[in-house]
């Protein structure tokens, strides 16, 4: 009887509540327009990241944007400063700065329409997807049915960000031509290559089939969703940006090891042990790595109609880079002046930095996205030569090649030196032809295989162009091969002896060393032989 009484009591309570609800219906209808108006005003103020996923699933919401990335001003200078700050963070590997850059360049908001640049937007979406700061777990995982979910809401919001980035990148790439996709790929490779071992390891994972499309773990949920299902389309264009290739994966692992990073060495050995076929690529990849150079000399300083340049914010830290940059003072300023003249920033080349006006310096700084200080910094002097070289100046190309050969302004890199010697040689530089002959004669660190036939060809080209060292070496070579055959039993004449300076100019008659006419061993000089040309 007591249970029946309780049931009747609950029934009466429900009936009374329903009656009150019906009675207040008119009140609710009168207040509905006011509530809708309040919602329309309040929801946008909460943030642009709110949406159906936020309303119905509190855990799957976007992460809050960094404070420095908010408050966009319509003024050009303010916008340029914000983009420069975001690019600094993006080059340093800041996950949220990369996402914000991508959204700015995508032109999602009206105030960013002047920045709209699909290629640059795709670059930073790809960088964010490749960033371990977006997928490395912060909290422990707990088992929830068939899937493992993160305990931390911050893990969930980053997953939401990556899922959105996959969709945005796929949408952008699907509208691009092959050439535009190649630009995206090359820019991502360049940015990651400036991050030393960490960047090369990321590139290795992005080409390794044992990882996700952008180097994340293969069981990453966003990576799995990107592959799609029969009932759910994936992100095919995003998946196709970096093709899986064991040779490229091995190459970038090898380049990471060359930076001296210990963990890169461990990763390379794990890569080799993962498959007998992979281990067989060793010698081939080693040769390829010695010739490898980034797709760009520096980040292309292009800009959309907004006039805000795509500045290169690569971190030049590291003992080798800082030491090389300090040595830029050894480069005669006339070479920087000639580069500025080639770029039409000054009317004629100058011999001294003091002869440049503040306006001329600021023009260069604006071109490459540097602060307008009015004084050239060491990196800006390097950029002036690089900028002239990539725009076709044979003189700047030759100077840049020498800078890489000697480690002046830039770290010593024979692969890049060879590249710029080759570019200058294509434009007919006699000095570059002579330098190329040296590369082929000596096979500097595997950059150019020892090929004496090619060395002779370059020497002949240099001699015909009037370059004296090459002309003198060619005369000596012809003297060796055109000598009449010796009779049986005739002694070979003594080999002439040359010093190191003989590579620069032919000796005059009055400077002739009398020891050259005497038989015997080498007395402090260097015997001429076929390996010295």
């Amino acid at each position: 009887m007591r249970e029946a009484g309780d049931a009747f009591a609950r029934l009466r309570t429900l009936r009374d509540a329903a009656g009150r609800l019906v009675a207040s219906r008119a009140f609710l209808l009168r207040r509905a327009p006011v509530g809708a108006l309040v919602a329309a005003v309040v929801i946008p103020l909460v943030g642009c990241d709110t949406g159906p996923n936020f309303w119905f699933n509190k855990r799957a919401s976007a992460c809050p944007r960094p404070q420095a990335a908010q408050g966009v001003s319509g003024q050009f200078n303010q916008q340029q400063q914000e983009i420069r700050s975001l690019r600094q963070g993006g080059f340093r590997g800041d996950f949220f700065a990369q996402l914000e850059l991508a959204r700015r360049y995508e032109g999602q908001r009206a105030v960013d329409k002047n920045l709209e640049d699909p290629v640059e937007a795709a670059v930073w979406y790809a960088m964010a997807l490749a960033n371990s700061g977006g997928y490395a777990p912060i909290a422990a995982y707990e088992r929830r049915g068939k899937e493992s979910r993160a305990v931390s809401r911050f893990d969930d919001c980053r997953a939401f960000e990556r899922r959105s980035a996959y969709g945005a990148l796929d949408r952008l790439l699907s509208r691009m031509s092959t050439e535009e996709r190649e630009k995206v790929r090359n820019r991502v490779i360049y940015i990651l290559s400036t991050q030393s071992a960490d960047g090369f390891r990321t590139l290795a994972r992005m080409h390794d089939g044992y990882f996700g499309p952008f180097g994340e773990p293969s069981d990453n949920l966003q990576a799995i969703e990107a592959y799609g299902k029969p009932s759910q389309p994936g992100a095919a264009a995003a998946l196709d940006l970096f093709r899986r290739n064991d040779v490229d994966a091995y190459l970038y692992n090898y380049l990471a090891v060359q930076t001296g990073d210990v963990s890169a060495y461990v990763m390379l050995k794990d890569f080799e042990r993962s498959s007998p076929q992979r281990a067989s690529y060793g010698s081939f990849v080693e040769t390829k790595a010695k010739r490898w150079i980034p797709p760009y000399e520096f980040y292309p300083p292009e800009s959309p109609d907004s006039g805000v340049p795509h500045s290169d914010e690569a971190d030049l830290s590291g003992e080798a880079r800082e030491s090389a940059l300090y040595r830029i003072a050894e480069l005669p300023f006339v070479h920087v002046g000639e580069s500025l003249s080639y770029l039409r920033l000054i009317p004629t080349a100058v011999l001294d930095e003091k002869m440049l006006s503040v306006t001329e310096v600021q023009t260069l700084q604006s071109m490459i996205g540097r602060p307008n200080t009015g004084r050239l910094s060491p990196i800006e002097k390097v950029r002036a030569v690089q900028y002239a070289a990539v725009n076709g100046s044979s003189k700047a190309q030759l100077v840049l090649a020498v800078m890489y050969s000697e480690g002046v302004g830039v770290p010593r890199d024979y692969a890049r030196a060879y590249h710029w010697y080759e570019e200058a040689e294509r434009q007919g530089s006699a000095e570059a032809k002579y330098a190329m002959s040296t590369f082929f004669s000596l096979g500097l660190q595997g950059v150019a295989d020892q090929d004496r036939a090619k060395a002779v060809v370059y020497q002949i080209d240099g001699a015909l162009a009037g370059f004296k060292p090459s002309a003198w070496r060619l005369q000596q070579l012809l003297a060796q091969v055109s000598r009449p055959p010796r009779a049986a039993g005739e002694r070979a004449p003594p080999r002439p002896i040359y010093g190191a300076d003989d590579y620069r100019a032919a000796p005059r008659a009055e400077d002739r060393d009398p020891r050259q006419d005497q038989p015997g061993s080498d007395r402090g000089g260097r015997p001429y032989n076929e390996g010295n040309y």
Side-chain angles (χ1 to χ4, degrees):
M1 293 294 293
R2 181 179 298 176
E3 292 177 356
D6 292 342
F8 280 116
R10 285 195 295 270
L11 183 60
R12 283 195 301 271
T13 302
L14 290 174
R15 184 188 62 187
D16 294 340
R20 287 193 298 271
L21 181 61
V22 171
S24 62
R25 182 177 56 183
F27 175 81
L28 292 175
L29 290 175
R30 287 195 302 270
R31 294 294 185 268
V34 178
L37 179 62
V38 171
V41 174
V42 172
I43 289 178
L45 294 177
V46 174
C48 62
D49 297 322
T50 56
N53 285 326
F54 176 78
W55 303 332
F56 300 112
N57 186 356
K58 293 183 180 180
R59 298 181 65 90
S61 59
C63 296
R65 300 273 69 78
Q67 185 65 34
Q70 299 195 8
V72 177
S73 170
Q75 298 179 359
F76 168 79
N77 290 337
Q78 178 68 19
Q79 187 182 59
Q80 185 176 27
Q81 291 172 7
E82 290 175 352
I83 291 298
R84 177 173 167 78
S85 175
L86 288 171
R87 290 185 72 89
Q88 289 174 346
F91 269 88
R92 287 196 303 267
D94 186 325
F95 174 67
F96 297 108
Q98 291 167 349
L99 283 175
E100 188 67 21
L101 265 179
R103 289 169 179 171
R104 294 287 186 92
Y105 284 120
E106 194 177 4
Q108 289 187 351
R109 296 178 294 185
V111 292
D112 293 329
K113 284 298 181 183
N114 65 319
L115 292 170
E116 190 170 1
D117 186 339
V119 170
E120 198 68 5
V123 167
W124 292 106
Y125 274 128
M127 287 296 302
L129 288 171
N131 193 335
S132 61
Y135 59 79
I138 293 176
Y141 276 72
E142 62 179 7
R143 180 66 63 181
R144 295 184 177 182
K146 296 181 179 180
E147 298 181 356
S148 295
R149 292 295 301 259
V151 177
S152 168
R153 284 189 61 182
F154 193 65
D155 279 328
D156 273 355
C157 80
R158 290 185 307 153
F160 174 84
E161 297 280 16
R162 296 188 77 254
R163 188 177 297 110
S164 301
Y166 260 116
L169 179 60
D170 185 70
R171 181 174 63 254
L172 288 167
L173 292 175
S174 62
R175 301 171 183 171
M176 290 184 186
S177 65
T178 302
E179 182 180 358
E180 289 173 325
R181 292 188 187 191
E182 185 68 17
K183 280 186 179 181
V184 173
R185 184 161 42 247
N186 285 342
R187 293 184 186 192
V188 171
I189 291 173
Y190 171 80
I191 296 172
L192 289 173
S193 70
T194 66
Q195 297 177 2
S196 192
D198 289 339
F200 285 127
R201 285 200 299 266
T202 301
L203 283 168
R205 293 195 302 269
M206 291 166 69
H207 290 87
D208 192 339
Y210 290 145
F211 291 88
F214 285 87
E216 64 268 76
S218 58
D219 60 351
N220 179 266
L221 272 179
Q222 296 79 59
I224 294 173
E225 290 171 356
Y227 286 107
K229 300 176 182 177
S231 59
Q232 179 181 358
L239 297 178
D240 195 51
L241 185 60
F242 288 93
R243 299 282 182 89
R244 302 312 176 88
N245 187 316
D246 282 349
V247 172
D248 285 335
Y250 198 134
L251 169 66
Y252 290 116
N253 274 318
Y254 186 89
L255 290 171
V257 173
Q258 299 310 299
T259 65
D261 187 78
V262 176
S263 58
Y265 178 81
V266 175
M267 191 170 180
L268 177 64
K269 292 305 176 184
D270 289 342
F271 180 88
E272 291 175 337
R273 285 193 292 266
S274 63
S275 166
Q277 185 177 4
R278 287 180 165 185
S280 67
Y281 296 142
S283 59
F284 171 72
V285 167
E286 182 177 355
T287 302
K288 187 176 180 180
K290 289 179 178 178
R291 299 170 183 259
W292 186 88
I293 60 172
Y296 300 105
E297 181 62 29
F298 60 100
Y299 202 87
E302 302 170 3
S303 64
D305 295 337
S306 64
V308 181
H310 297 157
S311 57
D312 188 337
E313 304 296 340
D315 185 8
L316 298 178
S317 62
E319 185 177 346
R321 292 181 178 181
E322 291 177 356
S323 175
L325 197 58
Y326 178 78
R327 291 187 62 193
I328 192 62
E330 301 175 19
L331 182 71
F333 190 79
V334 65
H335 298 305
V336 179
E338 288 177 344
S339 297
L340 295 175
S341 176
Y342 180 84
L343 296 171
R344 298 185 179 182
L345 298 177
I346 57 177
T348 57
V350 296
L351 301 176
D352 195 324
E353 181 181 354
K354 297 178 182 177
M355 300 174 68
L356 294 175
S357 69
V358 173
T359 303
E360 290 168 341
V361 174
Q362 288 178 337
T363 303
L364 171 68
Q365 291 170 337
S366 298
M367 286 175 60
I368 59 179
R370 303 287 299 179
N372 292 337
T373 61
R375 297 189 62 183
L376 287 177
S377 65
I379 185 60
E380 288 163 2
K381 294 176 183 178
V382 174
R383 286 286 187 263
V385 177
Q386 290 175 319
Y387 197 77
V390 299
N391 280 278
S393 170
S394 60
K395 287 186 178 180
Q397 290 168 351
L398 184 60
V399 170
L400 188 56
V402 174
M403 289 166 63
Y404 276 117
S405 297
E406 301 298 327
V408 174
V410 289
R412 182 176 278 117
D413 188 329
Y414 289 120
R416 290 204 195 186
Y418 179 80
H419 168 75
W420 287 114
Y421 277 129
E422 190 174 38
E423 290 296 312
E425 184 274 329
R426 287 174 182 169
Q427 299 198 58
S429 170
E431 295 91 338
K433 293 179 187 293
Y434 181 66
M436 295 283 285
S437 74
T438 303
F439 268 85
F440 278 112
S441 295
L442 303 179
L444 288 177
Q445 295 197 1
V447 173
D449 296 333
Q450 290 187 353
D451 190 333
R452 293 187 174 86
K454 286 187 179 180
V456 172
V457 170
Y458 279 113
Q459 286 170 5
I460 292 173
D461 288 344
L464 294 176
F467 190 55
K468 289 184 178 180
S470 191
W472 171 247
R473 303 296 295 170
L474 181 61
Q475 290 175 9
Q476 297 303 310
L477 177 65
L478 293 176
Q480 291 286 328
V481 299
S482 62
R483 193 172 293 146
R486 295 191 301 270
E490 182 182 355
R491 290 184 60 187
R495 292 182 176 180
I497 302 173
Y498 302 103
D501 291 336
D502 293 333
Y503 288 93
R504 299 187 179 91
R508 297 174 297 178
E510 58 269 26
D511 296 333
R512 187 175 179 82
D513 189 343
R515 292 179 298 173
Q516 293 179 353
D517 299 326
Q518 300 174 3
S521 59
D522 182 4
R523 301 180 182 180
R526 178 166 52 177
Y528 174 82
N529 58 61
E530 61 180 0
N532 287 348
Y533 34 80

